[in-house]
Amino acid sequence: MNWPSQRFLDRLGAAVPIVAAPMAGAAGVALAVAAIRGGAVGSLPCAMLTPEQVRAQVAEVRAAASGPLNLNFFCHTLPEPAPDERAWRALLAPYYAEEGVEPGPPPALRRPFDAAMAEAVAEVRPAIVSFHFGLPEPTLLARVRGAGSKVFGNATTRAEMHWLAAQGVDAVIAQGAEAGGHSGWFLGERHVPVSLAELLAQPMDVPVIAAGGIVDGAGIAAALRAGAAMAQLGTAYLATPESRIPAPFRALIGAEGSRDTAFTNLFSGREARGIRNRLMRELGPVNAAVPAFPHGSTALAPLRAKAEADGRGDYSPLWAGTRAAEARVMPAEQLTRTLAAEARAALGDTDHG
């Protein structure tokens, strides 16, 4: 029994129309392996890895599973010079005093895709390379394509969808405002949330992958009926044992409190959807004092570490989509197979070729 987008799935080597989202801090080798074993596209978030770590993680995945692997990179521009953090640290000073911590050395920052990463991609030759915040410069993109990898670009608006299609991507990830984590917007002066339904209503000449607010097979089926070739799910996988989220975060997923999500710039300097926590409530989800992305996370690092050690998520980025309360606790491979079975049932035999 074929899927509506069977030819596209065959090109990727996927058995089911599911991409396990590349979630930095939550996804890794174990989740990618489980998703691939379930027939989906597995993903590795690479924006906070070194090229050597990328090579090592790809080798781990390939030793454990055979199937399509997506490597995800960011294409942001690092601000030069580094932004002034004095106003932000002044806002955080009372929290430092309360928690009994001091500012420490800056953590590893998300790095934009560069020549060293392009070299790593050329060596490991993943089935797919996806990009957030636009695409890399043409010479780097050419190296990715030269490795035989399919290129996916992330779009949050109709304009971004058409821009990516004009650059010749193999698929556009339509990231609706319902999605958890960083909004991948890259065109325009500011973040403008657009629903997934509105994005899917835009006719496209390239395959579209639906992302945002999809946590079950019914949601996958609805996306396929709306014209999507696949669905990308992230929040649905947060409750799996393979996810790498800390205990305070894990306790929220699937609970009623996880329905209260909002876009916030507090944890990185750029808008991302997460579960509302103490910092968001007390400083407001968006605050102009936060340094530009990705430097917003630097001053929060000691506060986050202290709170998480105490079992609290007061200063943590609790990235999750609008339907986090519906995420199910089960192994990721089982979840992938369950999602596919639910989608098949929702589509019905008449919708398959």
Side-chain angles (χ1 to χ4, degrees), residues 50-52 54-55 71 73 115-126:
T50 65
E52 292 73 23
V54 170
R55 294 182 179 95
L71 303 186
F73 299 94
M117 279 300 190
E119 178 64 27
V121 167
E123 290 180 23
V124 302
R125 302 173 68 87

Side-chain angles (χ1 to χ4, degrees), residues 78-97:
L78 290 173
E80 296 290 348
D84 187 342
E85 296 190 12
R86 286 177 293 183
W88 180 224
R89 288 182 182 271
L91 272 181
L92 296 179
Y95 298 102
Y96 283 126

Side-chain angles (χ1 to χ4, degrees), residues 19-82:
V19 178
M23 302 174 287
V29 170
L31 184 51
V33 167
I36 291 171
R37 287 177 174 172
V41 173
S43 299
L44 290 175
C46 300
M48 298 183 73
L49 302 181
T50 65
E52 292 73 23
Q53 289 172 322
V54 170
R55 294 182 179 95
Q57 290 194 12
V58 170
E60 287 186 67
V61 171
R62 286 180 169 162
S66 177
L69 177 63
N70 165 42
L71 303 186
N72 177 257
F73 299 94
F74 283 10
C75 296
H76 58 290
T77 300
L78 290 173
E80 296 290 348

Side-chain angles (χ1 to χ4, degrees), residues 9-350:
L9 298 185
D10 291 343
R11 286 173 55 201
L12 300 181
V16 299
I18 298 170
V19 178
M23 302 174 287
V29 170
L31 184 51
V33 167
I36 291 171
R37 287 177 174 172
V41 173
S43 299
L44 290 175
C46 300
M48 298 183 73
L49 302 181
T50 65
E52 292 73 23
Q53 289 172 322
V54 170
R55 294 182 179 95
Q57 290 194 12
V58 170
E60 287 186 67
V61 171
R62 286 180 169 162
S66 177
L69 177 63
N70 165 42
L71 303 186
N72 177 257
F73 299 94
F74 283 10
C75 296
H76 58 290
T77 300
L78 290 173
E80 296 290 348
D84 187 342
E85 296 190 12
R86 286 177 293 183
W88 180 224
R89 288 182 182 271
L91 272 181
L92 296 179
Y95 298 102
Y96 283 126
E98 178 185 336
E99 301 289 350
V101 299
E102 297 286 342
L109 294 174
R110 291 176 176 83
R111 307 295 303 182
F113 189 74
D114 59 16
M117 279 300 190
E119 178 64 27
V121 167
E123 290 180 23
V124 302
R125 302 173 68 87
I128 302 156
V129 176
S130 62
F131 294 104
H132 219 56
F133 308 137
L135 295 174
E137 62 173 84
T139 55
L140 296 179
L141 193 57
R143 296 209 67 186
V144 172
R145 289 184 167 131
S149 302
K150 300 287 190 296
V151 174
F152 291 179
N154 189 92
T156 64
T157 65
R158 294 183 178 187
E160 290 175 352
M161 293 175 73
H162 286 290
W163 185 90
L164 289 168
Q167 310 310 307
V169 298
D170 295 285
V172 171
I173 301 168
Q175 185 192 26
E178 302 90 343
H182 281 95
S183 169
W185 74 274
F186 61 94
L187 293 181
E189 295 299 318
R190 61 186 179 88
H191 174 233
V192 180
V194 179
S195 72
L196 176 59
E198 185 175 343
L199 295 178
L200 293 182
Q202 181 68 18
M204 296 295 296
D205 294 328
V206 299
V208 173
I209 298 169
I214 302 173
V215 295
D216 54 24
I220 296 170
L224 298 181
R225 285 201 185 97
M230 302 181 78
Q232 178 171 286
L233 284 71
T235 300
Y237 284 98
L238 290 178
T240 67
E242 291 86 354
S243 86
R244 300 170 56 236
I245 58 176
F249 189 3
R250 186 175 295 276
L252 291 171
I253 300 300
E256 280 301 306
S258 64
R259 294 190 188 278
D260 185 14
T261 65
F263 280 111
T264 178
N265 73 335
L266 298 183
F267 304 101
S268 72
R270 191 170 179 130
E271 290 88 345
R273 183 178 289 283
I275 301 168
R276 202 180 301 267
N277 62 2
R278 177 187 177 186
L279 199 70
M280 292 168 67
R281 288 191 295 268
E282 294 182 1
L283 298 184
V286 177
N287 194 297
V290 183
F293 181 89
H295 292 274
S297 61
T298 300
L300 280 176
L303 291 168
R304 176 181 177 182
K306 173 63 165 58
E308 286 183 359
D310 293 343
R312 295 177 286 121
D314 292 344
Y315 315 102
S316 302
L318 308 175
W319 301 147
T322 55
R323 296 180 64 188
E326 299 166 57
R328 292 169 283 187
V329 180
M330 66 175 71
E333 180 179 350
Q334 179 186 349
L335 174 62
T336 305
R337 296 184 186 279
T338 298
L339 290 165
E342 290 173 345
R344 285 191 184 279
L347 287 168
D349 292 353
T350 58

